[in-house]
């Protein structure tokens, strides 16, 4: 029997890529999204890539428990991958209650649905400014520096506690993402930032296409080789595949603990300047950029030790940064109709 996976927030950047990979791996998928931060572009792209016109799509808000109950009675759902959340760090500082209400209540509603397998999309942000790099899953979490980051930590704790209290009825997986970038090789789905992008790669592609005048590189006086910050940029398709391996482990009864935690990264640090240079080189263009003051809240250097995911999930990041940056540019060109 085919298993069914609910992807909450499945019309967004990560959710749409995960939906494609789940379908490719033979799962049935139900996509649910309140469309608060996206349109149907990516969902339409998912249908084209998979050749599946029949993927169920439910427009709903996970903060609405009645809607959550209806969803779970309509479909027989074996596992949930939960993405539906607000994600703008700056906005979360300005409007903390909006973030705490939305991100926490929606997740608790999912847990209350009684679904026995829940995967939560966490973030490397829980490690803060790490004392040692690369970070393993055992590296200490640091106090969050924004309400957004705090919702990730609180949801991690909620899942851990709920699994513990469930007496084996609930299994949980926390995937801690590093910096997801790029787009599907078809260029039919990708990141669709609203307004001015906060993240580096969408800002780069929008500058290259002329939507933004100039990229500011935030800080070139960090204690790194070229003075710019180091991050672990993980290809979006590689990241999406990690979810398939994780869901399979849950559904096949392979988990060794009630709640497992995995870093999803490449293990390869790349500086902002290296990324910009690689983007120029692989796409054969010049980017208008300047050095600007540091951005508040940025950590100097963080990258993953992905050994645990490699060994336990059997997953490994495969795509090169170069190929990923080509895909990001192809997506921007696709959006521009070029
Ligand atoms: N960054 C930058 N210019 C931008 C956006 C980001 O120099 O317009 C830098 C940022 O300072 C950080 C890196 O790019 O060192 C990655 O930032 P991003 O916001 O993409 O992800 P984060 O690591 O903050 O989650």
């Amino acid at each position: 029997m085919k298993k069914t996976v609910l992807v909450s927030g499945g019309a967004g950047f990560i959710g749409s890529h995960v939906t494609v990979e789940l379908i490719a791996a033979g799962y049935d998928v139900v996509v649910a999204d309140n469309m608060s931060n996206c349109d149907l572009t990516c969902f339409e792209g998912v249908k084209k890539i998979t050749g599946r016109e029949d993927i169920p799509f439910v427009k709903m808000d996970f903060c609405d428990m009645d809607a959550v109950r209806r969803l779970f009675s309509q479909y027989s759902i074996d596992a949930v991958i939960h993405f539906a959340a607000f994600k703008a760090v700056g906005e979360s500082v300005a409007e903390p209650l909006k973030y705490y209400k939305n991100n926490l209540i929606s997740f608790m509603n999912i847990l209350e649905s009684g679904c026995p397998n829940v995967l939560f999309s966490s973030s490397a942000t829980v490690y803060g400014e790490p004392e040692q790099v690369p970070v393993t899953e055992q590296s200490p979490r640091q106090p969050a520096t924004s309400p957004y980051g705090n919702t990730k930590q609180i949801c991690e704790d909620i899942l851990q506690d709920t699994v513990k209290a469930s007496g084996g009825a609930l299994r949980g997986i926390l995937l801690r993402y590093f910096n997801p970038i790029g787009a599907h090789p078809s260029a039919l789905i990708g990141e669709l930032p609203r307004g001015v992008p906060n993240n580096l790669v969408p800002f780069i592609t929008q500058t290259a296409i002329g939507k933004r005048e100039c990229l500011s590189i935030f800080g070139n006086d960090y204690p790194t080789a070229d003075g710019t910050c180091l991050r672990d940029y993980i290809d979006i398709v590689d990241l999406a595949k990690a979810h398939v391996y994780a869901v399979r482990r849950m559904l096949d009864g392979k988990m060794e603990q009630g709640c497992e935690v995995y870093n999803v990264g490449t293990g390869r640090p790349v500086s902002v300047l290296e990324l910009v240079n690689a983007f120029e080189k692989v796409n054969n263009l010049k980017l208008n950029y300047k050095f600007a003051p540091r951005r508040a809240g940025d950590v100097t250097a963080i990258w993953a030790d992905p050994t645990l995911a490699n060994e336990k999930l059997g997953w490994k990041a495969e795509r090169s940064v170069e190929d990923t940056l080509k895909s990001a540019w192809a997506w921007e060109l696709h959006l521009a109709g070029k």
Side-chain angles (χ1 to χ4, degrees):
M1 256 277 278
K2 265 191 163 187
K3 301 278 186 182
T4 301
V5 181
L6 167 67
V7 182
S8 81
F13 173 45
I14 303 179
S16 57
H17 287 82
V18 169
T19 302
V20 167
E21 296 308 321
L22 285 169
I23 289 173
Y27 292 100
D28 280 333
V29 179
V30 175
V31 172
D33 205 300
N34 69 357
M35 310 303 287
S36 66
N37 193 33
C38 61
D39 57 26
L40 281 174
T41 307
C42 284
F43 187 62
E44 292 303 327
V46 168
K47 291 201 275 188
K48 269 197 201 134
I49 294 167
T50 57
R52 289 273 301 270
E53 277 299 321
D54 59 342
I55 304 166
F57 178 84
V58 183
K59 182 174 185 298
M60 60 168 287
D61 189 337
F62 282 89
C63 290
D64 176 352
M65 190 62 205
D66 289 336
V68 175
R69 280 200 198 95
R70 277 197 300 280
L71 180 76
F72 278 88
S73 58
Q74 191 181 351
Y75 297 98
S76 167
I77 291 167
D78 299 293
V80 182
I81 303 181
H82 181 59
F83 294 109
F86 294 148
K87 60 174 187 179
V89 176
E91 187 185 52
S92 80
V93 174
E95 296 180 73
L97 292 181
K98 176 176 167 178
Y99 274 67
Y100 285 119
K101 273 171 83 173
N102 184 66
N103 294 7
L104 302 186
I105 291 173
S106 59
F107 188 50
M108 290 190 283
N109 284 349
I110 284 188
L111 293 174
E112 271 197 330
S113 75
C115 184
N117 298 291
V118 175
L119 190 155
F120 178 68
S121 55
S122 190
S123 165
T125 187
V126 301
Y127 297 117
E129 176 93 60
E131 272 169 28
Q132 276 191 329
V133 275
V135 289
T136 71
E137 292 76 1
Q138 304 309 318
S139 300
R141 294 191 325 186
Q142 308 277 355
T145 54
S146 72
Y148 162 77
N150 209 14
T151 65
K152 290 293 178 201
Q153 299 210 2
I154 296 170
C155 284
E156 286 200 348
D157 295 344
I158 290 173
L159 185 57
Q160 295 272 15
D161 290 344
T162 312
V163 165
K164 233 180 268 163
S166 76
L170 172 67
R171 285 161 295 279
I173 290 188
L174 300 170
L175 295 185
R176 292 179 177 157
Y177 311 149
F178 284 69
N179 288 57
I181 62 165
H184 193 265
S186 64
L188 291 170
I189 55 177
E191 205 166 354
L192 270 177
R194 290 236 162 124
V196 182
N198 290 311
N199 294 116
L200 179 60
V201 170
F203 207 105
I204 289 176
T205 58
Q206 290 197 4
T207 306
I209 204 124
K211 271 195 216 165
R212 312 274 154 216
E213 209 173 303
C214 182
L215 167 75
S216 292
I217 294 182
F218 299 134
N220 63 342
D221 57 350
Y222 284 98
T224 60
D226 65 21
T228 66
C229 294
L230 297 173
R231 294 288 182 276
D232 186 333
Y233 295 95
I234 169 83
D235 179 83
I236 186 65
V237 176
D238 278 337
L239 178 88
K241 286 181 178 160
H243 295 73
V244 176
Y245 286 87
V247 160
R248 193 176 288 143
R249 182 171 169 88
M250 281 179 141
L251 292 177
D252 291 354
K254 297 278 167 59
M255 288 178 63
E256 292 161 22
Q257 292 169 43
C259 191
E260 296 183 346
V261 183
Y262 296 101
N263 285 341
V264 185
T266 65
R268 173 188 62 202
V270 174
S271 78
V272 176
L273 202 53
E274 282 170 337
L275 197 83
V276 167
N277 291 337
F279 180 84
E280 292 185 321
K281 190 163 169 221
V282 295
N283 295 311
N284 197 22
L285 45 79
K286 275 273 151 233
L287 195 70
N288 193 21
Y289 70 83
K290 62 173 188 219
F291 293 111
R294 293 182 179 193
R295 180 171 73 175
D298 276 341
V299 304
T300 303
I302 183 163
W303 68 94
D305 177 342
T307 308
L308 197 67
N310 299 162
E311 288 177 357
K312 300 282 180 190
L313 299 181
W315 166 89
K316 203 171 184 330
E318 282 170 354
R319 226 166 164 202
S320 68
V321 162
E322 286 75 17
D323 283 344
T324 304
L325 291 172
K326 274 189 209 164
S327 74
W329 181 230
W331 166 243
E332 192 68 59
L333 289 170
H334 169 81
L335 287 176
K338 291 180 183 168

